[in-house]
Amino acid sequence: MVESLLDIQNIKASVGEKVVLDGLDLDIKAGETQVLMGPNGAGKSTLGNVIMGNPAYTLQSGKIIFDGQDISDWSADKRAKAGLFMSFQSPLEVPGISLETFIRSAIQQKTGERVKLFAFQKELKAAMALLNMNEAFASRDLNVGFSGGERKKSEILQLLMLKPKLAILDETDSGLDVDAVRAVSKGIEEFQKAQNGALLIITHSTKILESLKVDKARILAKGKIIKTGGAELVQEINANGFEKYLTD
């Protein structure tokens, strides 16, 4: 039996004094792509932030096991070095540091080794071409003046370059036009094929999933996972909504 890369055991988590997750279990195996869906306010983004160790969120009880280690008390940067990655709904601007410098620094911090500049720039250029991203963005301050689509592309660029063991993509397709969704999906598909990394895709839409192999789909509501199925569950929710499962 293949052990889970991520094993979340009966967690209870809060934001401030509000309990958002209560009794949630989740497991993801290496190489799997899972989709997390649910009504607004269900706690999908909260789950992503709790997995990543965002200090604004409190894990009150339960365990988070990643790659065989209990990371429940680890800091966010230690989790990132261990191979966790999360893209955000609204990526922040970081004035004073270029996209290229940010990615190179992140790789060095993750690996503890000096990045070979020529090989890095060659790989960066290829990844940007895959995402149909103008090479000039590499030298621009991170996300400063970027459109919504370019911000999301820069997140997927980081995903391709950092090669995490598990990536959490939080509403990566939110607000994107058709061409941007297609480019982002292509980048995610490349990560699936080339890196064999695991993915947890948080989404309201099925557009970004059309070219991806989905192993499991889950519905989060009432603080826990209330339904798990295959890729067909995504289509069912897209057609009929969540009401059936919320009233059970």
Side-chain angles (χ1 to χ4, degrees):
M1 183 175 179
V2 179
E3 292 186 2
S4 297
L5 174 64
L6 178 71
D7 183 13
I8 296 177
Q9 303 174 3
N10 193 32
I11 64 169
K12 181 177 181 179
S14 60
V15 182
E17 296 183 355
K18 182 181 179 182
V19 174
V20 182
L21 306 175
D22 194 1
L24 186 144
D25 297 296
L26 175 71
D27 66 282
I28 301 175
K29 293 179 174 59
E32 272 192 337
T33 293
Q34 297 196 19
V35 176
L36 184 66
M37 306 181 80
N40 290 331
K44 301 183 297 297
S45 295
T46 294
L47 176 59
N49 280 286
V50 169
I51 294 170
M52 286 302 304
N54 186 330
Y57 299 78
T58 302
L59 179 63
Q60 296 186 0
S61 61
K63 290 183 178 181
I64 301 174
I65 310 297
F66 179 67
D67 204 15
Q69 299 186 81
D70 186 346
I71 65 169
S72 306
D73 297 325
W74 287 16
S75 63
D77 65 320
K78 189 174 180 181
R79 297 184 195 204
K81 288 178 182 178
L84 282 169
F85 173 94
M86 183 172 177
S87 72
F88 299 95
Q89 293 184 40
S90 302
L92 297 175
E93 294 184 357
V94 185
I97 181 170
S98 70
L99 174 59
E100 178 179 346
T101 300
F102 177 83
I103 294 175
R104 189 168 71 245
S105 176
I107 294 173
Q108 288 181 169
Q109 289 183 42
K110 179 186 174 186
T111 63
E113 300 176 359
R114 186 174 180 179
V115 173
K116 296 179 180 179
L117 188 59
F118 178 78
F120 166 79
Q121 290 181 331
K122 182 179 180 181
E123 185 178 357
L124 183 70
K125 183 177 180 180
M128 294 185 80
L130 177 74
L131 295 169
N132 194 27
M133 197 173 182
N134 191 320
E135 289 181 30
F137 281 89
S139 59
R140 289 177 56 176
D141 286 0
L142 179 61
N143 293 329
V144 176
F146 286 26
S147 67
E150 295 299 347
R151 289 187 184 209
K152 298 298 179 71
K153 286 182 182 180
S154 80
E155 295 263 284
I156 302 304
L157 179 65
Q158 293 166 47
L159 169 69
L160 292 172
M161 295 297 292
L162 287 168
K163 305 175 179 63
K165 295 176 183 176
L166 170 63
I168 303 165
L169 307 182
D170 188 5
E171 302 287 357
T172 299
D173 52 348
S174 177
L176 300 185
D177 61 27
V178 174
D179 290 336
V181 168
R182 187 178 295 115
V184 166
S185 295
K186 192 173 182 181
I188 298 171
E189 186 179 12
E190 179 65 22
F191 173 76
Q192 278 187 316
K193 293 188 297 185
Q195 313 302 342
N196 194 36
L199 285 162
L200 178 61
I201 302 176
I202 300 169
T203 185
H204 282 103
S205 169
T206 59
K207 290 181 181 178
I208 200 169
L209 305 174
E210 290 176 357
S211 62
L212 303 178
K213 177 182 177 291
V214 174
D215 297 293
K216 288 182 182 178
R218 302 183 189 266
I219 300 174
L220 172 59
K222 305 173 185 177
K224 60 188 69 179
I225 303 297
I226 62 170
K227 178 70 176 179
T228 296
E232 72 282 352
L233 181 58
V234 176
Q235 302 303 326
E236 183 181 335
I237 296 302
N238 192 44
N240 303 314
F242 300 105
E243 186 175 355
K244 170 185 174 182
Y245 300 101
L246 300 178
T247 56
D248 285 348

